Amino acid sequence: MALRMDGERLLLLDQRRLPDEERWIDASDPLVMEGCIRTLAVRGAPLLGVAAALCLGLLVRSGCTPASFRASAALLRAARPTAVNLMAAIDRLTASALGDDLSGVDEVAMDVFLDDVARCEAMAAHGASLLEDGSGVITHCNTGGLATVGVGTALGVIHRAHAQGKRVHVYVDETRPLLQGGRLTAWELRHLGIPHTLITDSMAAVVLRSGRASRVLVGSDRVARNGDFANKVGTYSLAVAAAHHHVPFHPVAPWTTVDLSCPDGDAIPIEQRDADEVRGASGSFGSVRWCPRETEVFNPSFDVTPVALVTSLVTDRGVFSREQLRAGALGALDG
Ligand code: MRU
């Protein structure tokens, strides 16, 4: 688990330092939490929602004023724009604050936490049957226990299939530019004892063509009403390569990632990040730059995969085929 309570302190495992160092940060203060979210010390759509909710719950327990609660909620809500779980969790908390009465907020924060654990379990149960014994699967970014407070989304499905005794081999996209696949997913899979091989993002098409991987499972930061979805940049090219090789492609996401107010992928806001993330790399090893300091950079942190490339979407509320998504199955479950 990448987050824990220590008395009245909210501690986060600093994901910027993994896999070499397991350092915990006290992120009880909303200002510290906001910095942790922006710099990806804490990350992964579901975990962002839970971390922000627990931070606000703690703030209310410390006896803050309604004005300071609302200012902190607004600050955290704006920390990252694509992962809708962050906004959805904070909106649940602010809706539970009745005028100046904040007494219900802490309970809702705990519910956001428990809700994520349960949704991860349900996704794993729905998705595990997709994986056959002896199969290979490609995944992108990190979607496990470091991105949620449960077993994860795509990685949770893989974990469940492995726990059921299926022999599954995972091909892990390193996930440029911040390397969540290499740094975090490889670390998690090693801890879980699940066989895996690290590849660069550009090797995925070769793996698909070779038949080593017969399925692709990824997470999502926001699913639009029509089934288009945003996920870590590189997901779209993986989906195109999978379609070309007739390999089934599945996003796995909790219902808290579904944003019915976005009609399609074009309405999903895409986070643009600092150019230096592409000009070089930094981490527990220090920092390095491999191009001229002034080189112009395009660094969208996410991309949108159209529903046309989705075989089916796995959620905690069931599995939706491309045809069902196109027929408006997500909107039909509104409310
Ligand atoms: O920028 P990050 O590391 O927060 O991006 C995370 C992803 O893109 C995950 O795939 C997504 O949040 C789904 S994880 C359960």
Side-chain angles (χ1 to χ4, degrees), residues 134-289:
S135 62
V137 55
I138 299 190
T139 192
H140 192 70
C141 198
N142 172 265
T143 63
L146 291 170
T148 64
V149 285
V151 289
T153 60
L155 219 55
V157 168
I158 293 167
H159 185 190
R160 180 59 47 87
H162 172 77
Q164 289 170 347
K166 293 179 188 169
R167 287 160 302 153
V168 179
H169 193 98
V170 188
Y171 289 87
V172 181
D173 270 3
E174 67 172 352
T175 315
R176 280 278 293 145
L178 295 182
L179 309 176
Q180 289 93 332
R183 293 186 305 105
L184 308 177
T185 301
W187 183 83
E188 275 200 54
L189 289 171
R190 204 173 101 76
H191 277 279
L192 295 170
I194 301 176
H196 58 282
T197 302
L198 182 65
I199 57 173
T200 67
D201 302 358
S202 52
M203 293 168 191
V206 178
V207 170
L208 292 165
R209 183 171 188 180
S210 71
R212 286 180 171 84
S214 55
R215 221 166 267 276
V216 179
L217 294 184
V218 296
S220 173
D221 282 70
R222 198 181 293 225
V223 181
R225 197 179 186 96
N226 73 339
D228 294 350
F229 74 99
N231 192 46
K232 179 56 56 195
V233 69
T235 302
Y236 174 41
S237 46
L238 183 56
V240 170
H244 183 75
H245 295 98
H246 309 291
V247 172
F249 177 92
H250 311 269
V252 183
W255 199 256
T256 44
T257 302
V258 176
D259 182 358
L260 295 176
S261 74
C262 278
D264 55 38
D266 289 343
I268 300 177
I270 299 296
E271 175 182 3
Q272 303 291 324
R273 292 188 62 85
D274 197 279
D276 282 345
E277 291 180 351
V278 177
R279 291 192 187 116
S282 61
S284 49
F285 55 84
S287 68
V288 58
R289 180 169 44 78

